Amino acid sequence: MFCANYIFQQVRRQSHLCHRDVLLNFQNSSLLASASEGVTNLLERFILLVGGAKANAGEGAKEAQQILYILDALKECLPFLSRKSKTSVLNYFKYLLDLHQPLVTRRITDGLNFLCHYPTSEVSPEALLELLNSLARSIESNKMSGDRLTFTARLLDAGMNKVYSLNRQICVVKLPIVFNALKGKML
């Protein structure tokens, strides 16, 4: 059983890397929009299925697992999606982050970390800032290990630097939220 799970993990990982490579090859091409939209539509479909399954008492475990797989793929692919699709994904991330599920939150922060550290990735500063503010607010309400808190603080730093470079004014207005969230954890 362990061997089969390991093989499935490796196949999924290779699939994510292939998807990333395809998106990289589609950069500055008319194909990027449709490929990006396909990823966004898949994420949206499984979010809607899980939302509908909650009402059906316990259904939706398979769909929830699919969301985790898509989030794993987005860790590799998010910077290479079209700007429109990145904005949609960031809005879905905000929704998923509000669920306060550690497995989901971890995958979101991993994908967001890659996006914030990727220098040439265009992203909507408003959508990124809203997600960073949600992440900062979640620090206040969740217990985190020291390592996870350090990772999140570094992510907020990288994200706020990216927002600042894209739109200084909105960063200045929202920056106190991040400081207040970290202040409570550092005392």
Side-chain angles (χ1 to χ4, degrees), residues 31-157:
L31 298 172
L32 180 63
S34 61
S36 298
E37 190 175 312
V39 173
T40 306
N41 290 343
L42 193 62
L43 178 61
E44 178 182 18
R45 182 173 63 120
F46 282 111
I47 288 173
L48 291 173
L49 284 173
V50 169
K54 282 184 190 176
N56 294 328
E59 293 179 23
K62 182 179 178 184
E63 287 83 4
Q65 186 65 47
Q66 291 297 326
I67 288 175
L68 294 178
Y69 294 151
I70 294 167
L71 292 175
D72 284 338
L74 285 169
K75 282 191 273 188
E76 300 291 337
C77 300
L78 187 58
F80 310 112
L81 295 175
S82 69
R83 182 179 169 134
K84 179 182 174 187
S85 290
K86 274 187 263 194
T87 301
S88 296
V89 168
L90 292 178
N91 290 329
Y92 289 128
F93 277 7
K94 186 176 180 309
Y95 167 78
L96 291 170
L97 192 63
D98 290 341
L99 298 176
H100 303 290
Q101 295 295 320
L103 290 174
V104 173
T105 300
R106 177 67 183 247
R107 284 168 169 88
I108 289 170
T109 57
D110 288 347
L112 193 57
N113 188 48
F114 188 40
L115 175 70
C116 290
H117 283 98
Y118 198 80
T120 60
S121 182
E122 285 188 36
V123 63
S124 162
E126 295 82 9
L128 180 57
L129 185 60
E130 283 301 314
L131 184 58
L132 291 171
N133 284 330
S134 289
L135 183 60
R137 284 189 293 273
S138 76
I139 289 174
E140 295 174 316
S141 62
N142 295 327
K143 290 185 178 184
M144 291 184 170
S145 70
D147 288 343
R148 198 68 200 154
L149 184 59
T150 300
F151 175 85
T152 304
R154 288 181 180 152
L155 171 58
L156 290 170
D157 176 52

Side-chain angles (χ1 to χ4, degrees), residues 136-137 139-140 156 173-187:
R137 284 189 293 273
I139 289 174
E140 295 174 316
L156 290 170
V173 172
K174 297 283 186 163
L175 191 59
I177 294 171
V178 174
F179 283 124
N180 289 334
L182 293 173
K183 175 185 76 172
K185 291 294 183 174
M186 300 301 176
L187 295 177

Side-chain angles (χ1 to χ4, degrees), residues 16-29 31-37 39 73-74 76-82:
H16 302 329
L17 293 175
C18 288
H19 194 198
R20 180 197 65 196
D21 291 344
V22 167
L23 288 170
L24 270 168
N25 287 326
F26 285 169
Q27 296 298 303
N28 302 317
S29 157
L31 298 172
L32 180 63
S34 61
S36 298
E37 190 175 312
V39 173
L74 285 169
E76 300 291 337
C77 300
L78 187 58
F80 310 112
L81 295 175
S82 69

